[in-house]
Amino acid sequence: DQWKKDKELKRNVAKASALSNEKDVILARIDELPAWVFFPDVERCEWLNRILLQVWPNVNHYAKDVIKDIIEPNINVALAEYKMSGFKFQKMRLGTIPPRFGGIKVYDKNTSRNEIIMDVDVFYAGDCDISFVLSGFSGGIKDFQIHGLLRIVMKPLITTMPLVGGLQIFFLNNPAIDFNLVGVADLLDMPGLSDMLRRIIVEQVAAMMVLPNKLPIKLSEAV
């Protein structure tokens, strides 16, 4: 139907944007300019996108562990309320397209001397391929997209390398999330199941890293 066609068009546009450079994105979508165009304290960070492109395969491995160790158990807890069980991720490929940063703001006022705070406009529309099993049925997640304002807090600052003890990463507000659920017809045709799975997955992202929830990453054994 028309709704599905519109959703598919939006996903394709988002994917094209994720693969393009900053100049192409601006020219193609003049109505959605990055924040650095409007706010002088938000800086361009195309250099950061180039770095992220190079380290993305390594980030892939870390993200898989987070999905398996944190998100999967929480989804099972949520599904238990609906008398369903046996949810398990089988394949987790986040693809070759990394997130893009549209602008970055580093705070230098009204912050502690023991921390560095930055806000990043992040957009992910990658080519991930994730499959799962639920109650004996197979399903999958494709065309996953997320867009929001991400805060990164580097603290505490320490006197030994790497000079930063850890990171706290979280979205300031609920990010916009969209994805396709795919799988055998028996699974997705069950009344309300597709909407329920979609809601649970979005809720688990919020429970993990939407303020007041934070994703901590330890960088030094000194803290």
Side-chain angles (χ1 to χ4, degrees), residues 28-44:
R29 307 185 70 179
I30 198 71
D31 59 327
E32 297 181 13
L33 293 174
W36 58 262
V37 175
F38 301 105
F39 305 105
D41 56 349
V42 177
E43 302 176 20
R44 296 176 60 182

Side-chain angles (χ1 to χ4, degrees), residues 25-106:
V25 172
I26 292 173
L27 293 176
R29 307 185 70 179
I30 198 71
D31 59 327
E32 297 181 13
L33 293 174
W36 58 262
V37 175
F38 301 105
F39 305 105
D41 56 349
V42 177
E43 302 176 20
R44 296 176 60 182
C45 54
E46 194 63 19
W47 58 272
L48 192 55
N49 288 321
R50 289 195 288 269
I51 292 174
L52 187 57
L53 178 63
Q54 189 162 341
V55 303
W56 183 240
N58 304 78
V59 176
N60 244 312
H61 290 289
Y62 174 76
K64 288 178 184 177
D65 291 339
V66 171
I67 292 172
K68 190 71 176 176
D69 298 339
I70 299 178
I71 295 182
E72 182 180 292
N74 289 342
I75 289 178
N76 272 305
V77 170
L79 285 171
E81 298 180 10
Y82 299 92
K83 310 300 181 184
M84 303 187 72
S85 61
F87 182 91
K88 184 178 181 180
F89 285 110
Q90 287 188 313
K91 180 173 61 177
M92 292 175 288
R93 296 175 183 165
L94 299 188
T96 59
I97 305 174
R100 282 189 61 83
F101 296 139
I104 185 170
K105 176 179 179 179
V106 180

Side-chain angles (χ1 to χ4, degrees), residues 118-166:
M118 63 183 76
D119 290 343
V120 184
D121 185 30
V122 63
F123 178 69
Y124 173 73
D127 52 344
C128 74
D129 186 7
I130 300 174
S131 63
F132 60 83
V133 173
L134 173 60
S135 298
F137 295 105
S138 297
I141 298 172
K142 288 190 175 182
D143 300 321
F144 187 89
Q145 298 178 14
I146 185 168
H147 178 217
L149 187 61
L150 190 71
R151 173 159 292 183
I152 302 172
V153 180
M154 307 167 68
K155 64 181 293 187
L157 303 183
I158 56 179
T159 56
T160 57
M161 294 301 292
L163 302 181
V164 177

